[in-house]
Every structure is written in structure tokens, then in C-alpha cells.
Amino acid sequence: EAGVTQSPTHLIKTRGQQATLRCSPISGHTSVYWYQQALGLGLQFLLWYDEGEERNRGNFPPRFSGRQFPNYSSELNVNALELEDSALYLCASSLSVGGWDNEQFFGPGTRLTVL
Amino acid sequence: DQQVKQNSPSLSVQEGRISILNCDYTNSMFDYFLWYKKYPAEGPTFLISISSIKDKNEDGRFTVFLNKSAKHLSLHIVPSQPGDSAVYFCAASGSTGSGNTGKLIFGQGTTLQVKP
């Protein structure tokens, strides 16, 4: 069974540009989550999508946004890139929604570098 | 406000011995806890989890213990193997009055080195 996939693996942008990151969940999973891991920091929750809707977002500015498509894949968009947006962006998916057993399975990540 | 803390940045153990990784949390609303393992340039890999209604969960060489009164959990790896060398993250999940938040809150990680 294929795991969570993310593309691209690496992305280099300049300050002020927009970045689009993509994620395909494990087959059968309906929830997709996005996390940011900046250098020297832990994983920070960004967004949660389920059934095409944004269910929760972390403490990030509105220029971080995304969407979930009917096939449950997801896109993370970062507008007006700043140097501090350079980080590893991880996507995760899960089977259970609403339950307390929130086991999330992660993809390999997209390394975003903002110059 | 670090709600999940892993106070030991690193741990070194000998192959075959026990590795004990610790994690503390502050929010009593957390009701599910997970451990992940991460290699460089890869995403975290789910290892084992435990709900707040249990105090122990075991899966092969991995056992997680939860002490709710102390708001403390630990991961035991027995016996430790060189392939276990990685960064280990504990994470917590909680519900609000309106249901599952979907959010996992991670500790800062502990780098485990298992020496042959």
C-alpha cells in the first residue's frame, strides 16, 4: 500500500513569490494535515482538511492557505514568501475523524527554501 | 508555551540495552499520545500510541507508559538496536468541547544513538 506522497521534494523560491506544495494521502484516508518544521524547531501544526473543508488551523498568518480536492489530495499555498518560511513542510493523513485515536501518517516532506 | 516537552535532547545507549525516552506534558485535555521516529530527510514514522484510559501499551520491542497524575509518558525500547538510531518525537492529541482538534502537538525530539 502506498504511503503519503508529497511533491516537489525541494522547492526554491525568492522572497515575495508564491509556493504551492502538493500531497496525496494514503488510499482510504479522508483527513489531511500540514505541519511546518523550521530549522531548530519542532513540528508545528498548520492546517487540517477533511472532506474538502478546513477543520482547524494553527497559529500561522492567512498567507498560509490550502485546499482539499474531491480525491482527498491537498495543496498548501504560501503567498508573499518570507525568508523565515524556509522549512520542511510535512503532510500527514489519517483514517479516523472525530475520534480520539488520531494516528497520523506522514509523507517525506517538501523542503522549501526562500532566498 | 511548550505544552509537550522532551527535556533530553540526546541519549546514547549500547546495543542490546534498554533505551528510555521521556516526555512531559502540561495540558490535562490531552487524551491520546503518540511516538514517532524520524530519520534525516524523511517524514516521521508512527511507532506506537496510547490513550489516556490506559497506562501501558506494548508492541514488540516498544512499550509506552503513561502516568497521568504526573503528566508523563515514556517510550522503552528493548533491546536497542543500531537501526533504532534516529530522532524520536512524542506527540499529544486532544479534544475540545466541540470535538477532535485534529492537531498533534509535538515535543522537540530526542536524538537516540545506539552504539554497536
Side-chain angles (χ1 to χ4, degrees), chain A residues 22-49:
Chain A
R22 296 180 177 83
C23 171
S24 291
I26 292 171
S27 177
H29 286 191
T30 62
S31 276
V32 171
Y33 312 81
W34 288 94
Y35 290 83
Q36 181 197 67
Q37 186 180 25
L39 191 63
L41 299 179
L43 284 80
Q44 303 293 320
F45 170 77
L46 260 169
L47 290 158
W48 170 28
Y49 290 95

Side-chain angles (χ1 to χ4, degrees), chain A residues 3-7 20-34 47-54 65-77 91-94:
Chain A
V4 176
T5 59
Q6 292 186 245
S7 63
T20 299
L21 290 66
R22 296 180 177 83
C23 171
S24 291
I26 292 171
S27 177
H29 286 191
T30 62
S31 276
V32 171
Y33 312 81
W34 288 94
L47 290 158
W48 170 28
Y49 290 95
D50 183 71
E51 297 290 352
E53 293 199 10
E54 182 181 301
S65 65
R67 53 181 172 166
Q68 186 179 33
F69 299 100
N71 66 353
Y72 303 113
S73 67
S74 177
E75 211 171 72
L76 174 68
N77 295 295
C91 173
S93 71
S94 75

Side-chain angles (χ1 to χ4, degrees), chain B residues 62-81:
Chain B
F62 302 92
T63 303
V64 56
F65 295 92
L66 176 62
N67 182 334
K68 281 183 61 179
S69 61
K71 295 191 176 67
H72 177 84
L73 64 154
S74 61
L75 175 68
H76 293 210
I77 306 173
V78 183
S80 301
Q81 299 172 355

Side-chain angles (χ1 to χ4, degrees), chain B residues 5-17:
Chain B
K5 297 180 183 179
Q6 294 175 256
N7 292 316
S8 298
S10 63
L11 175 68
S12 182
V13 301
Q14 207 66 37
E15 180 179 6
R17 306 294 289 269

Side-chain angles (χ1 to χ4, degrees), chain A residues 71-109:
Chain A
N71 66 353
Y72 303 113
S73 67
S74 177
E75 211 171 72
L76 174 68
N77 295 295
V78 188
N79 293 320
L81 284 166
E82 300 180 2
L83 296 178
E84 54 265 33
D85 297 333
S86 295
L88 180 67
Y89 288 85
L90 291 159
C91 173
S93 71
S94 75
L95 186 58
S96 174
V97 175
W100 47 259
D101 50 339
N102 193 10
E103 291 169 3
Q104 298 179 13
F105 297 88
F106 284 83

Side-chain angles (χ1 to χ4, degrees), chain A residues 103, chain B residues 32-35 46-51 57-58 64:
Chain A
E103 291 169 3
Chain B
Y32 200 69
F33 303 89
L34 309 91
W35 283 95
F46 170 73
L47 275 175
I48 192 169
S49 59
I50 188 168
S51 76
N57 188 28
E58 194 171 350
V64 56

Side-chain angles (χ1 to χ4, degrees), chain B residues 89-109:
Chain B
F89 291 94
C90 68
S93 174
S95 300
T96 66
S98 54
N100 188 352
T101 67
K103 173 167 69 173
L104 291 181
I105 298 175
F106 285 83
Q108 295 294 90

